[in-house]
């Protein structure tokens, strides 16, 4: 029995987890490096906002916001169409309409592009921050953000759907990684549900 034990090959020995050498974790990126990426992020998001307006329903939303401001009520009845005039009006984007109307009244119609730029910078700036938090590298986070904003560029119009892009990234920032501020999610959804019907995407994401 002793002789048989001596004939065992070294390769047959079981390697324990403590004996396995793991690669060293990469050093964290200096904060100064991360901060220097932000001008590139902001300018990139801003540049993708220079798109030709394709949705003529901007005028519909401006008219809806003006009607809400004048009627001073949230009990919506259809004031525009002929066949459904006076009937209940399901209008989930009413708050966006009010915002667009107020912006137009204060700063002019041409300045609505600044509203679009602000939403885009906030959305993809938050996405860049989230991706950098996950992967730990600003360069990789920037490339992933750039891919996302390039795919979404055809849909960057002055419409309520921009709020859904922002809301979706906000939900991701709560969930990846899991945040202790999940108690804020109901408030986020309460606001989002009155800005655009795309809040359903956020519910599916959660």
């Amino acid at each position: 029995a002793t002789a048989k034990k001596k004939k065992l090959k070294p390769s047959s020995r079981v390697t324990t987890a403590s004996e396995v050498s793991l690669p060293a974790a990469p050093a964290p990126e200096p904060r100064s490096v991360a901060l220097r990426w932000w001008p590139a992020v902001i300018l990139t998001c801003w540049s993708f906002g220079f798109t030709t307006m394709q949705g003529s329903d901007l005028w519909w939303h401006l008219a809806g916001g003006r009607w809400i401001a004048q009627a001073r009520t949230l009990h919506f009845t259809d004031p525009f169409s002929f066949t459904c005039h006076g009937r209940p009006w399901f209008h989930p984007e009413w708050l966006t309409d009010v915002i667009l109307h107020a912006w137009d009244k204060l700063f002019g119609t041409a300045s609505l592009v600044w509203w679009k730029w602000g939403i885009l910078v906030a959305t993809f700036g938050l996405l860049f921050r989230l991706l950098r938090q996950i992967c730990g590298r600003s360069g990789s986070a920037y490339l992933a953000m750039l891919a996302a904003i390039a795919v979404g560029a055809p849909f960057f119009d002055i419409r309520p759907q921009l709020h859904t892009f922002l809301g979706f990234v906000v939900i991701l920032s709560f969930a990846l990684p899991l945040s202790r501020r999940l108690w804020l999610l109901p408030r986020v959804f309460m606001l989002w549900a009155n800005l655009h019907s795309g809040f359903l995407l956020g519910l599916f994401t959660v």
Side-chain angles (χ1 to χ4, degrees):
T2 306
K4 290 182 178 180
K5 289 182 179 180
K6 292 182 179 179
K7 292 181 180 180
L8 290 176
K9 297 180 180 180
S11 59
S12 64
R13 187 173 62 88
V14 178
T15 304
T16 60
S18 60
E19 295 174 342
V20 177
S21 59
L22 298 176
E29 188 177 60
R31 184 175 178 84
S32 59
V33 174
L35 290 176
R36 284 198 292 267
W37 277 91
W38 276 105
V41 171
I42 294 173
L43 290 175
T44 300
C45 298
W46 181 49
S47 67
F48 274 90
F50 286 87
T51 54
T52 303
M53 189 178 69
Q54 300 177 2
S56 59
D57 58 350
L58 169 63
W59 316 114
W60 158 267
H61 290 294
L62 289 174
R66 183 175 64 251
W67 180 87
I68 294 171
Q70 293 173 351
R72 297 179 181 276
T73 179
L74 296 181
H75 298 285
F76 304 126
T77 55
D78 191 338
F80 299 116
S81 67
F82 175 76
T83 55
C84 296
H85 185 82
R87 294 185 180 181
W89 178 20
F90 177 68
H91 190 35
E93 293 92 9
W94 71 270
L95 185 54
T96 298
D97 287 6
V98 172
I99 293 173
L100 292 177
H101 167 67
W103 191 293
D104 175 48
K105 189 175 181 180
L106 290 174
F107 308 111
T109 304
S111 69
L112 287 171
V113 70
W114 286 93
W115 171 81
K116 179 175 76 169
W117 287 337
I119 295 291
L120 291 179
V121 170
T123 299
F124 291 96
L126 182 60
L127 180 61
F128 167 77
R129 178 178 175 272
L130 172 63
L131 293 171
R132 182 166 55 83
Q133 184 180 2
I134 293 173
C135 71
R137 288 292 177 267
S138 297
S140 300
Y142 175 81
L143 291 177
M145 181 214 71
L146 183 62
I149 199 171
V151 170
F155 305 98
F156 296 159
D157 212 344
I158 304 178
R159 300 183 63 200
Q161 66 190 29
L162 292 183
H163 285 135
T164 283
F165 297 153
L166 177 59
F168 179 67
V169 176
V170 169
I171 293 301
L172 290 182
S173 67
F174 279 109
L176 301 172
L178 196 62
S179 173
R180 294 181 178 179
R181 295 175 294 174
L182 290 177
W183 59 273
L184 289 173
L185 279 183
R187 300 186 182 186
V188 172
F189 279 110
M190 286 178 62
L191 177 62
W192 188 358
N194 293 288
L195 292 170
H196 189 246
S197 56
F199 78 95
L200 293 173
L201 173 64
L203 292 176
F204 291 141
T205 302
V206 172

